[in-house]
Each structure stands twice: as C-alpha cells, then as structure tokens.
Amino acid sequence: MKITWPKGLFPAAKKLLGRYQYVLLVLAVGVLLLLLPMGGGEEKPAAAAEPLTECFSLEEFEEKLARTISQIRGAGEAQVVLSLKSGSRQVLAQDTQRGADGDSSSSTVTLGRGSGSQEVVPLQTLAPQFQGALVVCPGGEDPEVCLQIIQAVSALTGLGSDRISVCPSQS
C-alpha cells in the first residue's frame, strides 16, 4: 500500500512522513479510540454510584452457623445462640483543624450528592464483636464432636473456647 502525498510538500517532509506513515496511522487510530465514548449506553457518574452497605443480621448468622454445625459428623440438628458485645459499626472520616493558639476542632467529612443531600464518608466497617456462644445439639455429649464444634464456632466468631458452650439436646 503506497500513500501518495500532496505535490506541494517539500521533499524532506515527504521523506519523513513516508518513513513513519504506519506509526502515524497507529497514533491517529489511538487518538480516535480515545475520543469515542465507552459503554454504549447511559452512563452513571461515579459520584452517583450507590455505596455498598453490608447489614449484619445476627439471626441470619446464627441460622447459617447452625446449618454449618449440623453438617459436622455426629453433631445432628444444631441450634445456635450468639450474644454480642458490640454490633457492626462504621468508622467515619474526620477533618481536624488546629488553630494558632493550639485549639483543635473535629468534624465529620461529608460529600454533597447534589440537590442539597449530604452523605458521610466511611473509612471502614468494623465487624461485630461477639461475647459468647451456646450450641445445643444431640452430639453435644461426645467430646470429639464437642471439640470440633468449639473449633468451628471459634474460627467463625473469634471467640475463645472458654466463651463457647456446647450442650446436648433432649432427644
């Protein structure tokens, strides 16, 4: 493929453009691709994206833990009761300003979302802290099953074995 250049171009420029014609073609295509809109559909601005909020439900966690413990060999149908020391909470961004005389004031950082609405800026979400656990199941009499249940509950809740009680059920 030979490109013919206009006749009015001086010879040095002709030679330079002829040598780098493919490089210039690739650059032109790259610039064109950068100028094209992405996504093809309606775009949402990043600021309008909804924040991901995880809501911790103690009841759902207890049910899931009970179903999991019931899968341990010899445990049988388990029931789990958990007590919380503190629930899940968010650590919010703080803006601290210090005055010349050593005074400091702190305020929570908020973002404006348009039309007068404000949202706080969360830095991290802290998991709930458990205080104790009670597991009731038919296999609670077997020391080996009891140890496996204590290890499973400890791994999932962060509780020590002294805060987990496994009791046999009436059956």
Side-chain angles (χ1 to χ4, degrees):
M1 171 180 190
K2 184 73 174 166
I3 297 177
T4 57
W5 298 103
K7 294 182 181 181
L9 222 52
F10 58 98
K14 250 194 217 182
K15 183 178 179 184
L16 185 64
L17 289 176
R19 180 180 292 168
Y20 296 108
Q21 66 184 358
Y22 295 111
V23 174
L24 292 173
L25 181 65
V26 169
L27 285 174
V29 169
V31 169
L32 181 65
L33 287 175
L34 285 174
L35 294 176
L36 290 176
M38 299 288 258
E42 184 179 308
E43 284 190 44
K44 279 183 153 179
E50 304 229 352
L52 296 175
T53 55
E54 264 186 44
C55 183
F56 176 77
S57 171
L58 181 61
E59 291 80 20
E60 288 178 14
F61 187 72
E62 286 175 343
E63 289 173 13
K64 187 174 182 180
L65 187 57
R67 284 193 309 266
T68 305
I69 290 173
S70 296
Q71 297 298 315
I72 295 175
R73 185 179 322 172
E77 188 65 31
Q79 294 178 338
V80 177
V81 178
L82 296 170
S83 61
L84 293 177
K85 185 183 289 185
S86 66
S88 62
R89 57 192 165 100
Q90 289 185 335
V91 177
L92 303 177
Q94 297 285 323
D95 183 23
T96 305
Q97 297 178 354
R98 297 188 191 270
D101 57 350
D103 293 349
S104 66
S105 65
S106 181
S107 62
T108 303
V109 176
T110 59
L111 287 176
R113 294 288 183 186
S115 70
S117 65
Q118 297 278 327
E119 290 185 14
V120 295
V121 179
L123 292 178
Q124 64 182 6
T125 301
L126 299 176
Q129 292 182 339
F130 295 98
Q131 186 168 349
L134 170 64
V135 179
V136 179
C137 64
E141 294 175 333
D142 185 7
E144 185 178 335
V145 172
C146 188
L147 177 64
Q148 290 176 349
I149 292 171
I150 289 173
Q151 288 175 342
V153 173
S154 178
L156 294 174
T157 62
L159 291 170
S161 61
D162 61 328
R163 301 221 175 237
I164 302 169
S165 180
V166 179
C167 300
S169 64
Q170 297 175 347
S171 47

